[in-house]
Amino acid sequence: TLEQYITRINVFAPQVYKVSQDGTLTGKISDKVTALLAKNPQVKVMPLVFQEGFDSDIMHNMLASPNAQEKLIAALIAEANL
């Protein structure tokens, strides 16, 4: 479990955040994991953002849309500030 090996981890990269075509971000690191990471500040956190059922055309359109980009960036910053 994560609790058993947390002292051996340098980077924790959870794949819990999903982005939609319009830049909406959903997902969350559990409170239990967040508390464990807070007690182990030596562990760097690098959340991964994915698009469910990856479709390169949908992802391209999302990344090419200034509105979707702004929405996603704002959501990522808000999540990082929690």
Side-chain angles (χ1 to χ4, degrees):
T1 68
L2 183 59
E3 292 168 325
Q4 287 177 290
Y5 297 103
I6 193 72
T7 59
R8 297 180 183 185
I9 296 173
N10 294 320
V11 178
F12 179 69
Q15 188 173 346
V16 297
Y17 295 101
K18 181 171 69 171
V19 65
S20 66
Q21 185 170 352
D22 69 351
T24 299
L25 184 71
T26 56
K28 175 183 174 185
I29 297 174
S30 74
D31 292 339
K32 182 179 178 180
V33 171
T34 300
L36 182 60
L37 292 168
K39 292 177 185 175
N40 293 276
Q42 78 282 4
V43 178
K44 306 296 184 241
V45 180
M46 183 178 65
L48 304 176
V49 178
F50 70 98
Q51 176 209 17
E52 192 168 11
F54 183 78
D55 180 311
S56 61
D57 291 331
I58 289 173
M59 186 58 77
H60 171 79
N61 291 338
M62 190 274 297
L63 293 172
S65 166
N67 290 338
Q69 286 180 35
E70 288 177 24
K71 186 175 184 177
L72 177 58
I73 290 168
L76 290 168
I77 290 170
E79 188 67 19
N81 287 327
L82 290 178

